[in-house]
Amino acid sequence: MSKSDAYNLKYHITPTHGLLNDPNGLAYFQGQYHVFYQWNPYGTEHKNKSWGHVVSDDLVNWHRKETALVPSEWYDKDGIYSGGSIVHEGKLYLFYTGNVINKDGTRASYQCAAVSEDGHHFQKLGPLFEHPAGYTRHVRDPKVWKDDSGNWWLIVGAQREDLTGDALVYKSEDLISWSCQGSFLEQEHSFGYMWECPDVLQFPEHDVFVFSPQGLPEEGDQYKNPNQSGYIIGRILESGKFLGTLSDFNELDRGFDFYAPQTFKVNNRILMFGWMSAMTEETEQAVPTIEEGWVHALTLPREIVFADGVLYQRPLHELQLLRQHEVHEGISNSGQWSLPSLAAEVVIRFMEQPDSFQLIIRNSVQIDYDHEQNSLTVWRTNWLTNEKEHRKAVLGHSLAELHMFIESSSIELFVNEGEEVFSLRYFLEDTNERSVRFESDCSEAVLSMYRLQES
Ligand code: FRU
């Protein structure tokens, strides 16, 4: 199948063909970064999930490997669903959910492991524990970590029998026998109907619980995508439970297309990838690349930094390796430029808090800054309905920098070094359009544009 279409992404992880969703099993193992991803190699619908696999020496240039895990056993015959990984005693362990559809149409899920000595060939170890009582078959996406005393912890997303979302935490001393410690959150809660892809980030002062709740009703500028991904800050107690408040839930990305992120720690840095989609099924099936036999991409990797009570998501400094040619220009009030390529990076640095402005990319995606509110609103045209739609965020600090990674069909906008991020896909009819327009009455800034290597 050809990937020569106009919407191909040049420096993101995409599938050769078929459908890609969540990042899985992120690891640094035997000198290489490993990224696995949910992959349907047989079509562009959500079925037949296996784990696709790419590796990199530098987090920028990726090389495809053989599919790591495919459905083959009674406990995973209808899909190798999401999960994480750990490196232990020189081996790479993958944790995943086996999805099973029984003959009578009922379904089951099993939390499973697989192990590898070389990072390329995996041996399945089978289910780790029984299905928990009081939960529907929606239990999935195990993520494992080790604490300072050498205990292993596993967290998994779940749905309770009363159809509310939850996460369960398990403990093990040997990675083989696991005991359920109950609901991960210390607090009583009712928040959405299912929690997917739970993750835990540990900083010296705080712990952060990241998860993807389904079914949160829209609230003003919040929760506008079909499903959300966000975090709460708190503390993991000795019992393994998390002390934190769901009313502080904060979305990770303010854009249209971000879901099911996963993190991993390498050399004291916490890195994250997300799935660059949060589409309804109708919008997904209308993505033009479907005609070429493939759909979706992962986001660029981000580094997570905890400061002033919020998570900053910075584009990795390694991405600068992609820069091939650069142009710097002063902006005084208004200006128009042309992107050096459709694999580009654009940075706008403001001398002081700017006046209200509009930034229009490729005559299509529009970023409005409101000086009074100190807010950013990002507009795109929905490719299914042809209607304009927007996402908005009020900034916590005055606007100092917009940092954009622009591809033929994706934009990731990092604001103030990752205080907010907007990720989105867009599909223009005029695939040659390259303009960048900035319009304001009174703003001084420096614009830097880079042509990026098309890996
Ligand atoms: C999130 C998710 C996970 C599941 C996987 C299946 O996008 O629904 O909960 O494991 O995708 O592909």
Side-chain angles (χ1 to χ4, degrees):
M1 258 177 252
S2 133
K3 279 195 63 183
S4 60
D5 65 296
Y7 306 113
N8 192 4
L9 297 178
K10 302 292 198 292
Y11 53 86
H12 284 83
I13 296 172
T14 57
T16 44
H17 57 279
L19 175 144
L20 166 152
N21 56 300
D22 317 350
N24 292 155
L26 306 178
Y28 185 69
F29 180 65
Q30 294 180 355
Q32 284 192 311
Y33 297 94
H34 292 253
V35 170
F36 304 85
Y37 52 85
Q38 285 288 284
W39 186 32
N40 174 5
Y42 303 111
T44 50
E45 312 88 36
H46 284 272
K47 24 180 184 168
N48 312 315
K49 296 294 171 70
S50 59
W51 277 29
H53 185 193
V54 289
V55 296
S56 172
D57 294 332
D58 56 11
L59 286 163
V60 171
N61 296 291
W62 295 96
H63 309 286
R64 293 189 193 276
K65 307 303 291 184
E66 244 175 69
T67 315
L69 296 172
V70 297
S72 62
E73 307 299 321
W74 64 266
Y75 51 78
D76 63 16
K77 70 183 184 60
D78 298 298
I80 309 285
Y81 276 11
S82 289
S85 72
I86 50 142
V87 175
H88 178 55
E89 293 179 342
K91 295 180 189 155
L92 178 61
Y93 288 82
L94 307 182
F95 298 88
Y96 67 94
T97 300
N99 181 43
V100 171
I101 307 174
N102 298 315
K103 281 207 183 97
D104 61 4
T106 56
R107 287 165 176 258
S109 58
Y110 298 92
Q111 313 316 316
C112 307
V115 65
S116 172
E117 294 198 4
D118 63 3
H120 303 298
H121 304 95
F122 293 86
Q123 188 201 337
K124 289 185 182 171
L125 302 175
L128 298 171
F129 44 77
E130 295 289 316
H131 190 86
Y135 288 81
T136 72
R137 68 163 184 97
H138 292 287
V139 176
R140 56 178 172 265
D141 311 336
K143 181 95 198 292
V144 174
W145 72 96
K146 194 182 194 175
D147 71 15
D148 294 339
S149 329
N151 292 310
W152 296 101
W153 298 92
L154 179 153
I155 187 175
V156 69
Q159 180 181 58
R160 295 184 286 212
E161 274 174 351
D162 68 359
L163 305 188
T164 56
D166 198 12
L168 285 161
V169 62
Y170 289 76
K171 186 178 180 185
S172 172
E173 281 167 16
D174 56 8
L175 278 178
I176 293 168
S177 90
W178 292 90
S179 64
C180 186
Q181 312 294 305
S183 182
F184 184 50
L185 255 62
E186 179 78 357
Q187 176 200 20
E188 290 287 308
H189 58 84
S190 173
F191 193 70
Y193 63 79
M194 166 68 194
W195 295 358
E196 298 190 308
C197 302
D199 198 355
V200 165
L201 283 58
Q202 293 176 290
F203 297 94
E205 306 284 307
H206 300 279
D207 299 308
V208 178
F209 173 42
V210 172
F211 62 113
S212 296
Q214 295 182 299
L216 299 186
E218 190 173 326
E219 253 181 66
D221 294 321
Q222 297 193 89
Y223 315 153
K224 292 184 77 128
N225 293 338
N227 297 309
Q228 331 303 329
S229 294
Y231 66 96
I232 55 174
I233 297 165
R235 203 72 185 127
I236 298 179
L237 306 172
E238 247 175 61
S239 62
K241 287 185 182 274
F242 188 86
L243 193 62
T245 318
L246 281 165
S247 56
D248 295 338
F249 182 78
N250 206 353
E251 280 178 86
L252 273 163
D253 189 297
R254 306 288 167 186
F256 303 86
D257 293 302
F258 182 85
Y259 193 61
Q262 188 178 104
T263 63
F264 67 130
K265 201 166 186 176
V266 192
N267 296 330
N268 273 330
R269 290 202 300 170
I270 297 180
L271 310 182
M272 181 174 87
F273 284 83
W275 175 30
M276 198 160 40
S277 167
M279 301 177 191
T280 61
E281 207 182 311
E282 292 77 25
T283 325
E284 173 177 81
Q285 293 307 319
V287 169
T289 64
I290 291 254
E291 283 170 27
E292 297 277 332
W294 71 281
V295 66
H296 299 315
L298 297 185
T299 64
L300 291 172
R302 307 171 181 181
E303 180 171 351
I304 307 288
V305 176
F306 186 79
D308 319 328
V310 277
L311 292 188
Y312 282 77
Q313 302 164 65
R314 306 204 165 130
L316 289 198
H317 62 75
E318 284 89 341
L319 294 168
Q320 293 177 14
L321 288 171
L322 290 169
R323 292 178 180 174
Q324 288 192 325
H325 172 76
E326 57 188 80
V327 176
H328 303 279
E329 304 245 3
I331 303 183
S332 205
N333 307 336
S334 297
Q336 173 155 344
W337 305 268
S338 185
L339 288 172
S341 97
L342 289 182
E345 182 183 349
V346 175
V347 185
I348 301 181
R349 287 196 188 88
F350 299 95
M351 310 301 165
E352 53 188 45
Q353 188 184 354
D355 196 6
S356 294
F357 64 77
Q358 293 186 335
L359 175 68
I360 303 151
I361 296 162
R362 303 184 67 205
N363 213 9
S364 168
V365 172
Q366 182 166 324
I367 299 164
D368 292 343
Y369 175 66
D370 182 316
H371 175 94
E372 293 299 309
Q373 292 184 357
N374 193 32
S375 67
L376 281 166
T377 306
V378 177
W379 295 86
R380 77 166 177 195
T381 305
N382 183 297
W383 52 93
L384 178 66
T385 61
N386 229 7
E387 282 170 8
K388 293 248 182 233
E389 51 190 7
H390 73 277
R391 296 290 183 269
K392 179 175 168 185
V394 176
L395 306 179
H397 299 90
S398 84
L399 179 60
E401 187 184 85
L402 298 178
H403 189 163
M404 288 161 283
F405 290 84
I406 302 177
E407 288 237 45
S408 58
S409 66
S410 75
I411 298 181
E412 281 145 289
L413 162 63
F414 295 84
V415 184
N416 290 348
E417 300 208 355
E419 177 192 333
E420 296 290 358
V421 190
F422 293 78
S423 301
L424 65 93
R425 303 296 306 276
Y426 69 121
F427 301 95
L428 298 194
E429 259 172 45
D430 183 356
T431 51
N432 291 318
E433 169 62 55
R434 301 263 168 110
S435 63
V436 174
R437 256 170 30 235
F438 185 89
E439 292 168 6
S440 90
D441 286 338
C442 182
S443 299
E444 300 294 323
V446 174
L447 171 100
S448 305
M449 288 204 287
Y450 305 87
R451 188 179 67 226
L452 300 187
Q453 170 203 315
E454 305 185 2
S455 56

